[in-house]
Amino acid sequence: MPLSVSEQYHAAVIAIKGKFFGSRDGDEYKQTINDFKSQGKTNIVIDFAKTNLMDSSGIGVLIKSAADIRDAGGDIVLANLEERVKNLFVMTRLLGPVFKDYESVEAAASSFVQS
């Protein structure tokens, strides 16, 4: 799972490509989150436009990182959820109560300006 990082507006963006399995890919993801946090970048968008599969351990990694970032005064929001991945978030009732979902990275990143 290659991760790519960028910045847009007032947010750091992590694009996940391919499959995201917490047991396999979680360490790289957590390190990226920790790097952003240590740099004071706590407004984070996770771009799922090119993510075609995710498992429950991947969701667990996201929940833990969201809690860590929220403790630091920021937030993690999701963008471009592919239908199959979105269904996983819907079935686990995480969209809304835990994660906000946006149609694009631009909309997700600009949500930090509005808050």
Side-chain angles (χ1 to χ4, degrees), residues 18 20 22 27-28 32-33 38 40 44 47-48 55 66 71 73-74 83 85 89 92-94 96:
F20 183 64
D27 289 340
E28 179 184 357
T32 302
I33 292 292
S38 69
I44 300 174
D47 182 7
F48 285 95
D55 69 352
D71 286 346
E83 194 65 32
V85 175
F89 282 93
T92 55
R93 300 178 191 259
L94 293 172

Side-chain angles (χ1 to χ4, degrees), residues 29 33 37 42 59-76 98-99:
Y29 172 82
I33 292 292
K37 193 167 120 181
T42 58
I59 286 183
V61 169
L62 287 177
I63 292 170
K64 171 72 170 102
S65 66
D68 291 344
I69 290 296
R70 288 174 186 146
D71 286 346
D75 200 7
I76 291 180
V98 179
F99 292 106

Side-chain angles (χ1 to χ4, degrees), residues 37-111:
K37 193 167 120 181
S38 69
Q39 297 166 16
K41 299 174 184 176
T42 58
N43 294 336
I44 300 174
V45 176
I46 309 297
D47 182 7
F48 285 95
K50 296 184 180 178
T51 308
N52 55 17
L53 188 62
M54 184 173 187
D55 69 352
S56 59
S57 65
I59 286 183
V61 169
L62 287 177
I63 292 170
K64 171 72 170 102
S65 66
D68 291 344
I69 290 296
R70 288 174 186 146
D71 286 346
D75 200 7
I76 291 180
V77 298
L78 313 179
N80 296 316
L81 284 171
E82 186 268 342
E83 194 65 32
R84 181 188 229 181
V85 175
K86 186 172 189 165
N87 286 338
L88 185 58
F89 282 93
V90 169
M91 287 188 310
T92 55
R93 300 178 191 259
L94 293 172
L95 284 185
V98 179
F99 292 106
K100 293 178 187 166
D101 171 34
Y102 294 89
E103 294 295 319
S104 68
V105 169
E106 294 78 15
S110 66
S111 74

